[in-house]
Each structure stands twice: as C-alpha cells, then as structure tokens.
Amino acid sequence: MPLPRRDLQHHTYGDYLTWPEDVRYELIDGEAFCMAPAPTRSHQRLAGEIFRQLADALEGGPCEVNMAPFDVRLPDGDEADEAIATVVQPDLLVVCDAAKLDERGCRGAPDWILEVLSPGSAGHDQIRKLALYGRHGVREYWLAHPVDRVVTVYRLEDGAFACPSVHEMQGSLRCKACPEVEIDWDRVVRGLPG
C-alpha cells in the first residue's frame, strides 16, 4: 500500500518548515508523503543496534552517523534551501563531508543510507527512494528486512545503482562507501524480538 500524499499541490522545503511537527512528511520532487506511523519494536531494535555499531566504527573520523528524524535536503542544483523540492528522513545515514551538515540536517547526498523496511513504507523505500537516492548520488543504499532477516545492498557505479546484492543477516557485512564500517549481523539479530 503506497504512503498517502498530504495533498496534490507542489511543495518546497519552505512549505515543509511551516507544517506542524506532530505529523511527519517527506517531500519527493515536490510531492508531500505522510510518514508511516511509529515503527515497530523490531524496526527500532534493528536501527538502534546498527546505529551503535556505526557510531563506534566512525568515532574520531571525518564521517558522522545520524538517525531519523533527521532532514536530508536533496537540491536539484544550487537553489536556496526554501526552494528545495526533496526532503527525506532516512532511518540511518552517514555523511563524510562536513560541509554538507548544518543545524537543519544535511544538504546533499549522504555517503550511505539504510532504510529498515516496514509494511507501510516498503514500496516507498524500494521504489521511489531507490530511484531518488541513485539520481542524487548516494554511494551506497541498504534495505534491511527485519522479518525476512535479509539486507539488500545497492552500490553506485558509473552514476547509477548496480544490480543489488542480497545477504542474510548473519556474519558481517562491510560497507564499501565507509570501509571502516562492518556490520555484525549476529549482534543485530540477537537483539531482535521473537
């Protein structure tokens, strides 16, 4: 089931900043999509453990990890922030260029993004965001499936995402965009309920 749209109007980050904070939205090419309700416990446990591993691996280096809600503004060019038509909130992201970070979040493509798939947003993450992240130059995009316990990895090659690789959540998996990061899936899975 697709995420519901806020309305049929074209919006910008300037509009987004005026909306009430009690409902979260993502803007993709000016379309405002309502974010799914609060994530499941499995979603939060998986994201939390990966965040912990990322923070430990990146400590003291140039890269920074952040967790949703955290605005990532993806401009099409050099437009002012308020004119940007795409703002997303990935579950986890790593940015290695400090010039992209400010108090509002990130302006420009993160180096690495991970989305934890939920029934309400899986299509959005696997179709709409996949195309968006590839177009904007995200170097690596991981989709974690907590129920199936697999992770799908897309890596940017020659300006587009190559055919994905699919891995079971066992052993470890190194991130090519951030070579110091190696996710220990056994630790992640041990923390999942059920």
Side-chain angles (χ1 to χ4, degrees), residues 177-193:
C178 306
E180 60 274 33
V181 170
E182 185 171 10
I183 300 302
D184 179 346
W185 289 111
D186 297 326
R187 272 181 61 193
V188 171
V189 170
R190 261 195 314 272
L192 294 179

Side-chain angles (χ1 to χ4, degrees), residues 84-167:
I84 292 173
T86 299
V87 184
V88 292
Q89 293 187 358
D91 289 319
L92 295 167
L93 64 130
V94 173
V95 178
C96 297
D97 179 355
K100 292 181 177 181
L101 297 168
D102 59 26
E103 284 304 306
R104 287 183 166 173
C106 175
R107 180 186 168 111
D111 295 274
W112 179 85
I113 289 177
L114 177 129
E115 296 283 6
V116 180
L117 295 183
S118 299
S121 64
H124 187 72
D125 293 338
Q126 293 178 98
I127 298 168
R128 193 171 279 115
K129 283 182 155 181
L130 174 67
L132 177 73
Y133 293 155
R135 187 174 85 225
H136 281 276
V138 173
R139 293 174 48 209
E140 200 158 336
Y141 180 38
W142 291 17
L143 292 161
H145 310 253
V147 174
D148 298 330
R149 303 215 172 156
V150 297
V151 61
T152 305
V153 176
Y154 292 89
R155 292 188 172 112
L156 204 64
E157 293 179 12
D158 299 321
F161 282 131
C163 211
S165 58
V166 179
H167 309 266

